[in-house]
Amino acid sequence: MEHKKIIVTIGRQFGSGGRTIGKRIAERLGIAYYDRELINLASKESGICGEFFEKADEKTSGGLLKAFALGFSMNSAIFQCNDYLSNESLFQIQSDVIRKVAAEGSCVLVGRCADYILRDDPDCVHVFISARMEDRIRRALEYNKDLTEKDAEDTVRKADKSRASYYNYYTDKVWGAAESYDLCVNSSLYGLEETVDYILSFLKRP
């Protein structure tokens, strides 16, 4: 029996457990998972040093251009400030990689405006994961035990602001707004495992 192709894109608040949820969905469905792997693929496909994509990853244009001005290696060359690729070019390369992996088969894609890039793909389901601030702060502290609770909250808020700026800059939608997604879930209501179950039940609907 032929299985229906399914692409799940996941947007997420920092500390919501979205990455873990995405991985577990992919494992449960037996399909590919892409998060930071997209950076490696974009670098391999384009021949461009992964440092460029790392610096641009879910950030808007301003900060990366300064990094380019300092010079980063690309194909064993050093680019000067008047000789860099624009963030828009990097976004286009990464977008092409996202379309390619989605065309190749079922997968879960986390972040990087994948829902917008694949907005016309009928096999896609677009999910956004949120969580209560106290849970997000707790996870931030688990990620980095050297942080104070205040530092952790600042990290959460700054990360969200960066992701929202990146998303809103490259799309005509609003990051985290319900109308931008097919399903919005608060992982604090169920916990990570039951959130995975909930999303999987949504994917199995007729």
Side-chain angles (χ1 to χ4, degrees), residues 55-189:
K55 292 294 180 182
D57 190 27
E58 295 197 284
K59 297 178 178 64
T60 49
S61 55
L64 181 60
L65 302 186
K66 295 177 184 176
F68 286 154
L70 297 175
F72 275 87
S73 60
M74 173 179 165
N75 291 340
S76 301
I78 297 296
F79 277 60
Q80 301 303 315
C81 60
N82 61 349
D83 201 21
Y84 55 69
L85 285 167
S86 70
N87 266 29
E88 285 74 13
S89 296
L90 294 173
F91 180 78
Q92 186 58 53
I93 293 167
Q94 191 163 263
S95 297
D96 290 342
V97 169
I98 287 172
R99 293 188 189 96
K100 180 177 180 180
V101 299
E104 289 175 348
S106 297
C107 60
V108 174
L109 296 154
V110 175
R112 296 165 185 84
C113 303
D115 62 286
Y116 178 77
I117 294 162
L118 300 175
R119 62 193 180 280
D120 297 323
D121 190 326
D123 296 317
C124 283
V125 174
H126 307 302
V127 179
F128 189 85
I129 310 293
S130 62
R132 297 188 187 106
M133 179 57 74
E134 57 265 33
D135 291 331
R136 298 165 66 201
I137 290 172
R138 174 177 52 79
R139 290 194 183 96
L141 290 169
E142 289 172 357
Y143 298 152
N144 187 345
K145 298 185 185 301
D146 294 329
L147 294 178
T148 66
E149 188 167 323
K150 178 63 168 61
D151 289 338
E153 182 174 352
D154 288 345
T155 297
V156 166
R157 294 190 186 280
K158 287 177 181 177
D160 278 0
K161 185 175 181 180
S162 179
R163 288 177 181 178
S165 295
Y166 179 91
Y167 185 91
N168 298 344
Y169 180 80
Y170 286 111
T171 79
D172 58 2
K173 301 196 294 181
V174 178
W175 182 82
E179 60 267 27
S180 298
Y181 309 93
D182 299 315
L183 177 67
C184 296
V185 185
N186 185 330
S187 62
S188 293
L189 295 178

Side-chain angles (χ1 to χ4, degrees), residues 30-80:
I31 62 179
Y33 170 84
Y34 296 99
D35 181 5
R36 299 188 66 79
E37 294 85 354
L38 291 169
I39 293 175
N40 297 331
L41 286 171
S43 176
K44 182 179 178 181
E45 290 285 328
S46 63
I48 296 172
C49 177
E51 288 174 286
F52 281 86
F53 295 98
E54 289 281 356
K55 292 294 180 182
D57 190 27
E58 295 197 284
K59 297 178 178 64
T60 49
S61 55
L64 181 60
L65 302 186
K66 295 177 184 176
F68 286 154
L70 297 175
F72 275 87
S73 60
M74 173 179 165
N75 291 340
S76 301
I78 297 296
F79 277 60
Q80 301 303 315

